[in-house]
Amino acid sequence: MPPPVFDEAFRARLTELMVWRRDVRRFRRDPVPPDLVARLLETAALAPSVGNSQPWRFVLVEDAGRRAKVVANFERANAEALGDYSGEQAKLYASLKLAGLKEAPVHLAVFCDEATLQGHGLGRRTMPEMLDYSAVMAVYGFWLAARAAGLGAGWVSIFEPEALTRELEVEPDWKLVAYLCVGGPEDEQATPELQRAGWEHRRDVSEQIIRR
């Protein structure tokens, strides 16, 4: 098959998709069709990976008891995180909604299998963390595909990862990379929620480019 031609209209729409990809914390409770979730995971698995190792492991957390443990884990870690701030910043932190764990119809934990033999170690002798980065690429692919399908995703990172690994009863040498809440967003915004809340603003990319 000849390679596709991505024209200017497609490139503009791709940029628009990235602009409108948001970290969603407020979800509708409507269920997401399982076949749609399966298609999104298939898309995520098209991500590049070091040595073609494909180290991502997708765990759909569907059991109510396990979800309750996930929520409790988050609440403990979030309470501890609040203690790192003081004054007005602490008040602002306490007002932020940092997860949609109780509302999102889909919970997806993404782990990296750091013991995988797939890929035969290519490309990670001096940078073994490339396995983790490969799993992150799959997360971002899932995130964009979900947004294109009209869903929102929220990446929750306020956890005790070792406890979460035990609570989900996965292989103990898997490393937690991401925990995603997925579902229909209550509203859609092009501006990140943390920016709207006054927590942090997006910097212009010109401030992040260094030339040598």
PDB file of all heavy atoms in Angstrom, residues 39-71:
ATOM      1  N   ARG A  39     -10.868  -0.817  21.242  1.00  0.00           N
ATOM      2  CA  ARG A  39     -10.268  -0.133  20.087  1.00  0.00           C
ATOM      3  C   ARG A  39      -9.246   0.903  20.524  1.00  0.00           C
ATOM      4  O   ARG A  39      -8.190   1.057  19.895  1.00  0.00           O
ATOM      5  CB  ARG A  39     -11.358   0.524  19.230  1.00  0.00           C
ATOM      6  CG  ARG A  39     -12.243  -0.461  18.486  1.00  0.00           C
ATOM      7  CD  ARG A  39     -12.975   0.208  17.334  1.00  0.00           C
ATOM      8  NE  ARG A  39     -13.774   1.349  17.744  1.00  0.00           N
ATOM      9  CZ  ARG A  39     -15.031   1.275  18.165  1.00  0.00           C
ATOM     10  NH1 ARG A  39     -15.628   0.091  18.262  1.00  0.00           N
ATOM     11  NH2 ARG A  39     -15.709   2.373  18.498  1.00  0.00           N
ATOM     12  N   LEU A  40      -9.529   1.604  21.605  1.00  0.00           N
ATOM     13  CA  LEU A  40      -8.586   2.606  22.101  1.00  0.00           C
ATOM     14  C   LEU A  40      -7.296   1.945  22.575  1.00  0.00           C
ATOM     15  O   LEU A  40      -6.199   2.479  22.364  1.00  0.00           O
ATOM     16  CB  LEU A  40      -9.215   3.404  23.238  1.00  0.00           C
ATOM     17  CG  LEU A  40     -10.424   4.270  22.861  1.00  0.00           C
ATOM     18  CD1 LEU A  40     -10.994   4.935  24.107  1.00  0.00           C
ATOM     19  CD2 LEU A  40     -10.050   5.318  21.822  1.00  0.00           C
ATOM     20  N   LEU A  41      -7.404   0.789  23.200  1.00  0.00           N
ATOM     21  CA  LEU A  41      -6.206   0.076  23.644  1.00  0.00           C
ATOM     22  C   LEU A  41      -5.407  -0.441  22.450  1.00  0.00           C
ATOM     23  O   LEU A  41      -4.168  -0.450  22.476  1.00  0.00           O
ATOM     24  CB  LEU A  41      -6.591  -1.065  24.580  1.00  0.00           C
ATOM     25  CG  LEU A  41      -7.135  -0.629  25.945  1.00  0.00           C
ATOM     26  CD1 LEU A  41      -7.611  -1.832  26.743  1.00  0.00           C
ATOM     27  CD2 LEU A  41      -6.082   0.148  26.734  1.00  0.00           C
ATOM     28  N   GLU A  42      -6.102  -0.859  21.408  1.00  0.00           N
ATOM     29  CA  GLU A  42      -5.402  -1.273  20.193  1.00  0.00           C
ATOM     30  C   GLU A  42      -4.624  -0.107  19.597  1.00  0.00           C
ATOM     31  O   GLU A  42      -3.487  -0.267  19.131  1.00  0.00           O
ATOM     32  CB  GLU A  42      -6.396  -1.817  19.170  1.00  0.00           C
ATOM     33  CG  GLU A  42      -6.985  -3.174  19.540  1.00  0.00           C
ATOM     34  CD  GLU A  42      -8.106  -3.596  18.604  1.00  0.00           C
ATOM     35  OE1 GLU A  42      -8.427  -2.824  17.666  1.00  0.00           O
ATOM     36  OE2 GLU A  42      -8.660  -4.686  18.812  1.00  0.00           O
ATOM     37  N   THR A  43      -5.228   1.081  19.613  1.00  0.00           N
ATOM     38  CA  THR A  43      -4.542   2.270  19.121  1.00  0.00           C
ATOM     39  C   THR A  43      -3.344   2.598  20.005  1.00  0.00           C
ATOM     40  O   THR A  43      -2.252   2.914  19.506  1.00  0.00           O
ATOM     41  CB  THR A  43      -5.504   3.467  19.071  1.00  0.00           C
ATOM     42  OG1 THR A  43      -6.589   3.151  18.194  1.00  0.00           O
ATOM     43  CG2 THR A  43      -4.799   4.716  18.565  1.00  0.00           C
ATOM     44  N   ALA A  44      -3.527   2.522  21.311  1.00  0.00           N
ATOM     45  CA  ALA A  44      -2.431   2.810  22.234  1.00  0.00           C
ATOM     46  C   ALA A  44      -1.243   1.894  21.985  1.00  0.00           C
ATOM     47  O   ALA A  44      -0.082   2.312  22.070  1.00  0.00           O
ATOM     48  CB  ALA A  44      -2.914   2.670  23.675  1.00  0.00           C
ATOM     49  N   ALA A  45      -1.521   0.645  21.653  1.00  0.00           N
ATOM     50  CA  ALA A  45      -0.461  -0.342  21.445  1.00  0.00           C
ATOM     51  C   ALA A  45       0.291  -0.137  20.133  1.00  0.00           C
ATOM     52  O   ALA A  45       1.248  -0.867  19.857  1.00  0.00           O
ATOM     53  CB  ALA A  45      -1.040  -1.753  21.504  1.00  0.00           C
ATOM     54  N   LEU A  46      -0.109   0.856  19.335  1.00  0.00           N
ATOM     55  CA  LEU A  46       0.661   1.213  18.136  1.00  0.00           C
ATOM     56  C   LEU A  46       1.832   2.132  18.482  1.00  0.00           C
ATOM     57  O   LEU A  46       2.604   2.513  17.592  1.00  0.00           O
ATOM     58  CB  LEU A  46      -0.249   1.922  17.122  1.00  0.00           C
ATOM     59  CG  LEU A  46      -1.391   1.090  16.527  1.00  0.00           C
ATOM     60  CD1 LEU A  46      -2.279   1.971  15.655  1.00  0.00           C
ATOM     61  CD2 LEU A  46      -0.853  -0.087  15.740  1.00  0.00           C
ATOM     62  N   ALA A  47       1.978   2.478  19.751  1.00  0.00           N
ATOM     63  CA  ALA A  47       3.036   3.392  20.176  1.00  0.00           C
ATOM     64  C   ALA A  47       4.410   2.804  19.883  1.00  0.00           C
ATOM     65  O   ALA A  47       4.597   1.576  19.875  1.00  0.00           O
ATOM     66  CB  ALA A  47       2.905   3.671  21.672  1.00  0.00           C
ATOM     67  N   PRO A  48       5.397   3.677  19.650  1.00  0.00           N
ATOM     68  CA  PRO A  48       6.768   3.170  19.503  1.00  0.00           C
ATOM     69  C   PRO A  48       7.285   2.667  20.841  1.00  0.00           C
ATOM     70  O   PRO A  48       6.858   3.131  21.904  1.00  0.00           O
ATOM     71  CB  PRO A  48       7.540   4.417  19.048  1.00  0.00           C
ATOM     72  CG  PRO A  48       6.761   5.566  19.607  1.00  0.00           C
ATOM     73  CD  PRO A  48       5.314   5.141  19.556  1.00  0.00           C
ATOM     74  N   SER A  49       8.190   1.702  20.795  1.00  0.00           N
ATOM     75  CA  SER A  49       8.787   1.197  22.031  1.00  0.00           C
ATOM     76  C   SER A  49      10.227   0.807  21.755  1.00  0.00           C
ATOM     77  O   SER A  49      10.565   0.346  20.654  1.00  0.00           O
ATOM     78  CB  SER A  49       8.007  -0.004  22.574  1.00  0.00           C
ATOM     79  OG  SER A  49       7.982  -1.075  21.651  1.00  0.00           O
ATOM     80  N   VAL A  50      11.061   0.972  22.741  1.00  0.00           N
ATOM     81  CA  VAL A  50      12.488   0.698  22.577  1.00  0.00           C
ATOM     82  C   VAL A  50      12.697  -0.780  22.243  1.00  0.00           C
ATOM     83  O   VAL A  50      12.175  -1.671  22.930  1.00  0.00           O
ATOM     84  CB  VAL A  50      13.266   1.107  23.848  1.00  0.00           C
ATOM     85  CG1 VAL A  50      12.810   0.324  25.066  1.00  0.00           C
ATOM     86  CG2 VAL A  50      14.759   0.973  23.621  1.00  0.00           C
ATOM     87  N   GLY A  51      13.398  -1.051  21.150  1.00  0.00           N
ATOM     88  CA  GLY A  51      13.660  -2.426  20.743  1.00  0.00           C
ATOM     89  C   GLY A  51      12.416  -3.210  20.386  1.00  0.00           C
ATOM     90  O   GLY A  51      12.433  -4.426  20.346  1.00  0.00           O
ATOM     91  N   ASN A  52      11.296  -2.501  20.146  1.00  0.00           N
ATOM     92  CA  ASN A  52       9.994  -3.136  19.916  1.00  0.00           C
ATOM     93  C   ASN A  52       9.620  -4.040  21.098  1.00  0.00           C
ATOM     94  O   ASN A  52       9.057  -5.123  20.934  1.00  0.00           O
ATOM     95  CB  ASN A  52       9.976  -3.947  18.607  1.00  0.00           C
ATOM     96  CG  ASN A  52       8.567  -4.193  18.099  1.00  0.00           C
ATOM     97  OD1 ASN A  52       7.630  -3.476  18.461  1.00  0.00           O
ATOM     98  ND2 ASN A  52       8.396  -5.200  17.274  1.00  0.00           N
ATOM     99  N   SER A  53       9.917  -3.544  22.287  1.00  0.00           N
ATOM    100  CA  SER A  53       9.698  -4.329  23.507  1.00  0.00           C
ATOM    101  C   SER A  53       8.250  -4.353  23.955  1.00  0.00           C
ATOM    102  O   SER A  53       7.844  -5.255  24.695  1.00  0.00           O
ATOM    103  CB  SER A  53      10.558  -3.762  24.637  1.00  0.00           C
ATOM    104  OG  SER A  53      10.289  -2.369  24.803  1.00  0.00           O
ATOM    105  N   GLN A  54       7.469  -3.340  23.564  1.00  0.00           N
ATOM    106  CA  GLN A  54       6.050  -3.248  23.948  1.00  0.00           C
ATOM    107  C   GLN A  54       5.847  -3.583  25.431  1.00  0.00           C
ATOM    108  O   GLN A  54       5.104  -4.499  25.781  1.00  0.00           O
ATOM    109  CB  GLN A  54       5.214  -4.181  23.075  1.00  0.00           C
ATOM    110  CG  GLN A  54       5.278  -3.841  21.590  1.00  0.00           C
ATOM    111  CD  GLN A  54       4.627  -4.896  20.721  1.00  0.00           C
ATOM    112  OE1 GLN A  54       5.303  -5.760  20.162  1.00  0.00           O
ATOM    113  NE2 GLN A  54       3.319  -4.836  20.620  1.00  0.00           N
ATOM    114  N   PRO A  55       6.469  -2.811  26.328  1.00  0.00           N
ATOM    115  CA  PRO A  55       6.458  -3.191  27.746  1.00  0.00           C
ATOM    116  C   PRO A  55       5.201  -2.791  28.499  1.00  0.00           C
ATOM    117  O   PRO A  55       5.087  -3.064  29.693  1.00  0.00           O
ATOM    118  CB  PRO A  55       7.663  -2.410  28.292  1.00  0.00           C
ATOM    119  CG  PRO A  55       7.672  -1.149  27.474  1.00  0.00           C
ATOM    120  CD  PRO A  55       7.245  -1.588  26.093  1.00  0.00           C
ATOM    121  N   TRP A  56       4.271  -2.119  27.819  1.00  0.00           N
ATOM    122  CA  TRP A  56       3.061  -1.670  28.520  1.00  0.00           C
ATOM    123  C   TRP A  56       2.176  -2.853  28.894  1.00  0.00           C
ATOM    124  O   TRP A  56       2.057  -3.839  28.167  1.00  0.00           O
ATOM    125  CB  TRP A  56       2.278  -0.693  27.636  1.00  0.00           C
ATOM    126  CG  TRP A  56       2.218  -1.115  26.192  1.00  0.00           C
ATOM    127  CD1 TRP A  56       1.437  -2.083  25.620  1.00  0.00           C
ATOM    128  CD2 TRP A  56       3.012  -0.576  25.121  1.00  0.00           C
ATOM    129  NE1 TRP A  56       1.685  -2.174  24.279  1.00  0.00           N
ATOM    130  CE2 TRP A  56       2.639  -1.267  23.941  1.00  0.00           C
ATOM    131  CE3 TRP A  56       3.982   0.437  25.053  1.00  0.00           C
ATOM    132  CZ2 TRP A  56       3.217  -0.981  22.699  1.00  0.00           C
ATOM    133  CZ3 TRP A  56       4.560   0.711  23.819  1.00  0.00           C
ATOM    134  CH2 TRP A  56       4.168   0.003  22.660  1.00  0.00           C
ATOM    135  N   ARG A  57       1.550  -2.747  30.037  1.00  0.00           N
ATOM    136  CA  ARG A  57       0.579  -3.734  30.492  1.00  0.00           C
ATOM    137  C   ARG A  57      -0.658  -2.957  30.940  1.00  0.00           C
ATOM    138  O   ARG A  57      -0.588  -2.137  31.864  1.00  0.00           O
ATOM    139  CB  ARG A  57       1.129  -4.582  31.645  1.00  0.00           C
ATOM    140  CG  ARG A  57       2.436  -5.312  31.308  1.00  0.00           C
ATOM    141  CD  ARG A  57       2.248  -6.403  30.265  1.00  0.00           C
ATOM    142  NE  ARG A  57       3.493  -7.101  29.954  1.00  0.00           N
ATOM    143  CZ  ARG A  57       4.267  -6.824  28.901  1.00  0.00           C
ATOM    144  NH1 ARG A  57       3.918  -5.848  28.053  1.00  0.00           N
ATOM    145  NH2 ARG A  57       5.372  -7.509  28.687  1.00  0.00           N
ATOM    146  N   PHE A  58      -1.781  -3.195  30.287  1.00  0.00           N
ATOM    147  CA  PHE A  58      -3.008  -2.452  30.541  1.00  0.00           C
ATOM    148  C   PHE A  58      -3.893  -3.239  31.505  1.00  0.00           C
ATOM    149  O   PHE A  58      -4.256  -4.382  31.230  1.00  0.00           O
ATOM    150  CB  PHE A  58      -3.771  -2.213  29.236  1.00  0.00           C
ATOM    151  CG  PHE A  58      -2.980  -1.471  28.182  1.00  0.00           C
ATOM    152  CD1 PHE A  58      -2.752  -2.035  26.940  1.00  0.00           C
ATOM    153  CD2 PHE A  58      -2.472  -0.205  28.434  1.00  0.00           C
ATOM    154  CE1 PHE A  58      -2.033  -1.357  25.962  1.00  0.00           C
ATOM    155  CE2 PHE A  58      -1.759   0.486  27.469  1.00  0.00           C
ATOM    156  CZ  PHE A  58      -1.536  -0.089  26.224  1.00  0.00           C
ATOM    157  N   VAL A  59      -4.255  -2.630  32.613  1.00  0.00           N
ATOM    158  CA  VAL A  59      -5.094  -3.287  33.623  1.00  0.00           C
ATOM    159  C   VAL A  59      -6.394  -2.496  33.749  1.00  0.00           C
ATOM    160  O   VAL A  59      -6.396  -1.350  34.224  1.00  0.00           O
ATOM    161  CB  VAL A  59      -4.374  -3.370  34.985  1.00  0.00           C
ATOM    162  CG1 VAL A  59      -5.283  -4.034  36.022  1.00  0.00           C
ATOM    163  CG2 VAL A  59      -3.063  -4.121  34.849  1.00  0.00           C
ATOM    164  N   LEU A  60      -7.496  -3.092  33.312  1.00  0.00           N
ATOM    165  CA  LEU A  60      -8.811  -2.466  33.466  1.00  0.00           C
ATOM    166  C   LEU A  60      -9.327  -2.805  34.869  1.00  0.00           C
ATOM    167  O   LEU A  60      -9.546  -3.982  35.180  1.00  0.00           O
ATOM    168  CB  LEU A  60      -9.775  -2.964  32.392  1.00  0.00           C
ATOM    169  CG  LEU A  60      -9.493  -2.435  30.977  1.00  0.00           C
ATOM    170  CD1 LEU A  60     -10.278  -3.219  29.936  1.00  0.00           C
ATOM    171  CD2 LEU A  60      -9.828  -0.949  30.891  1.00  0.00           C
ATOM    172  N   VAL A  61      -9.488  -1.800  35.686  1.00  0.00           N
ATOM    173  CA  VAL A  61      -9.900  -2.013  37.077  1.00  0.00           C
ATOM    174  C   VAL A  61     -11.419  -1.894  37.126  1.00  0.00           C
ATOM    175  O   VAL A  61     -11.977  -0.796  37.099  1.00  0.00           O
ATOM    176  CB  VAL A  61      -9.224  -0.993  38.009  1.00  0.00           C
ATOM    177  CG1 VAL A  61      -9.585  -1.285  39.462  1.00  0.00           C
ATOM    178  CG2 VAL A  61      -7.709  -1.014  37.816  1.00  0.00           C
ATOM    179  N   GLU A  62     -12.083  -3.032  37.192  1.00  0.00           N
ATOM    180  CA  GLU A  62     -13.545  -3.074  37.107  1.00  0.00           C
ATOM    181  C   GLU A  62     -14.204  -3.493  38.414  1.00  0.00           C
ATOM    182  O   GLU A  62     -15.377  -3.193  38.649  1.00  0.00           O
ATOM    183  CB  GLU A  62     -13.951  -4.025  35.975  1.00  0.00           C
ATOM    184  CG  GLU A  62     -13.405  -3.576  34.619  1.00  0.00           C
ATOM    185  CD  GLU A  62     -13.594  -4.608  33.519  1.00  0.00           C
ATOM    186  OE1 GLU A  62     -13.683  -5.811  33.836  1.00  0.00           O
ATOM    187  OE2 GLU A  62     -13.633  -4.204  32.341  1.00  0.00           O
ATOM    188  N   ASP A  63     -13.481  -4.198  39.277  1.00  0.00           N
ATOM    189  CA  ASP A  63     -14.035  -4.693  40.526  1.00  0.00           C
ATOM    190  C   ASP A  63     -14.266  -3.540  41.506  1.00  0.00           C
ATOM    191  O   ASP A  63     -13.368  -2.718  41.747  1.00  0.00           O
ATOM    192  CB  ASP A  63     -13.058  -5.712  41.137  1.00  0.00           C
ATOM    193  CG  ASP A  63     -13.545  -6.234  42.465  1.00  0.00           C
ATOM    194  OD1 ASP A  63     -14.460  -7.077  42.469  1.00  0.00           O
ATOM    195  OD2 ASP A  63     -13.023  -5.777  43.502  1.00  0.00           O
ATOM    196  N   ALA A  64     -15.465  -3.477  42.077  1.00  0.00           N
ATOM    197  CA  ALA A  64     -15.828  -2.377  42.965  1.00  0.00           C
ATOM    198  C   ALA A  64     -14.936  -2.330  44.205  1.00  0.00           C
ATOM    199  O   ALA A  64     -14.561  -1.249  44.686  1.00  0.00           O
ATOM    200  CB  ALA A  64     -17.296  -2.491  43.374  1.00  0.00           C
ATOM    201  N   GLY A  65     -14.598  -3.493  44.732  1.00  0.00           N
ATOM    202  CA  GLY A  65     -13.740  -3.536  45.913  1.00  0.00           C
ATOM    203  C   GLY A  65     -12.353  -2.991  45.640  1.00  0.00           C
ATOM    204  O   GLY A  65     -11.789  -2.242  46.451  1.00  0.00           O
ATOM    205  N   ARG A  66     -11.802  -3.352  44.496  1.00  0.00           N
ATOM    206  CA  ARG A  66     -10.474  -2.834  44.145  1.00  0.00           C
ATOM    207  C   ARG A  66     -10.533  -1.333  43.882  1.00  0.00           C
ATOM    208  O   ARG A  66      -9.623  -0.586  44.239  1.00  0.00           O
ATOM    209  CB  ARG A  66      -9.931  -3.576  42.926  1.00  0.00           C
ATOM    210  CG  ARG A  66      -9.468  -4.988  43.247  1.00  0.00           C
ATOM    211  CD  ARG A  66      -8.473  -5.506  42.224  1.00  0.00           C
ATOM    212  NE  ARG A  66      -7.983  -6.819  42.618  1.00  0.00           N
ATOM    213  CZ  ARG A  66      -8.481  -7.969  42.190  1.00  0.00           C
ATOM    214  NH1 ARG A  66      -9.510  -7.947  41.357  1.00  0.00           N
ATOM    215  NH2 ARG A  66      -7.973  -9.121  42.572  1.00  0.00           N
ATOM    216  N   ARG A  67     -11.607  -0.885  43.242  1.00  0.00           N
ATOM    217  CA  ARG A  67     -11.731   0.564  43.007  1.00  0.00           C
ATOM    218  C   ARG A  67     -11.791   1.321  44.330  1.00  0.00           C
ATOM    219  O   ARG A  67     -11.241   2.412  44.455  1.00  0.00           O
ATOM    220  CB  ARG A  67     -12.983   0.858  42.175  1.00  0.00           C
ATOM    221  CG  ARG A  67     -12.827   0.523  40.707  1.00  0.00           C
ATOM    222  CD  ARG A  67     -13.897   1.206  39.900  1.00  0.00           C
ATOM    223  NE  ARG A  67     -13.806   0.903  38.478  1.00  0.00           N
ATOM    224  CZ  ARG A  67     -14.511   1.510  37.540  1.00  0.00           C
ATOM    225  NH1 ARG A  67     -15.379   2.450  37.869  1.00  0.00           N
ATOM    226  NH2 ARG A  67     -14.363   1.190  36.275  1.00  0.00           N
ATOM    227  N   ALA A  68     -12.463   0.742  45.304  1.00  0.00           N
ATOM    228  CA  ALA A  68     -12.541   1.400  46.611  1.00  0.00           C
ATOM    229  C   ALA A  68     -11.150   1.520  47.237  1.00  0.00           C
ATOM    230  O   ALA A  68     -10.823   2.536  47.864  1.00  0.00           O
ATOM    231  CB  ALA A  68     -13.472   0.621  47.538  1.00  0.00           C
ATOM    232  N   LYS A  69     -10.315   0.505  47.049  1.00  0.00           N
ATOM    233  CA  LYS A  69      -8.945   0.562  47.561  1.00  0.00           C
ATOM    234  C   LYS A  69      -8.139   1.628  46.826  1.00  0.00           C
ATOM    235  O   LYS A  69      -7.309   2.320  47.421  1.00  0.00           O
ATOM    236  CB  LYS A  69      -8.275  -0.801  47.428  1.00  0.00           C
ATOM    237  CG  LYS A  69      -8.841  -1.870  48.352  1.00  0.00           C
ATOM    238  CD  LYS A  69      -8.117  -3.194  48.164  1.00  0.00           C
ATOM    239  CE  LYS A  69      -8.676  -4.256  49.097  1.00  0.00           C
ATOM    240  NZ  LYS A  69      -8.002  -5.578  48.905  1.00  0.00           N
ATOM    241  N   VAL A  70      -8.383   1.758  45.526  1.00  0.00           N
ATOM    242  CA  VAL A  70      -7.701   2.790  44.745  1.00  0.00           C
ATOM    243  C   VAL A  70      -8.078   4.179  45.270  1.00  0.00           C
ATOM    244  O   VAL A  70      -7.217   5.055  45.451  1.00  0.00           O
ATOM    245  CB  VAL A  70      -8.056   2.652  43.248  1.00  0.00           C
ATOM    246  CG1 VAL A  70      -7.565   3.865  42.464  1.00  0.00           C
ATOM    247  CG2 VAL A  70      -7.447   1.374  42.672  1.00  0.00           C
ATOM    248  N   VAL A  71      -9.362   4.394  45.514  1.00  0.00           N
ATOM    249  CA  VAL A  71      -9.827   5.684  46.036  1.00  0.00           C
ATOM    250  C   VAL A  71      -9.192   5.961  47.398  1.00  0.00           C
ATOM    251  O   VAL A  71      -8.718   7.083  47.666  1.00  0.00           O
ATOM    252  CB  VAL A  71     -11.360   5.718  46.131  1.00  0.00           C
ATOM    253  CG1 VAL A  71     -11.832   6.956  46.877  1.00  0.00           C
ATOM    254  CG2 VAL A  71     -11.992   5.663  44.745  1.00  0.00           C
TER     255      VAL A  71
END
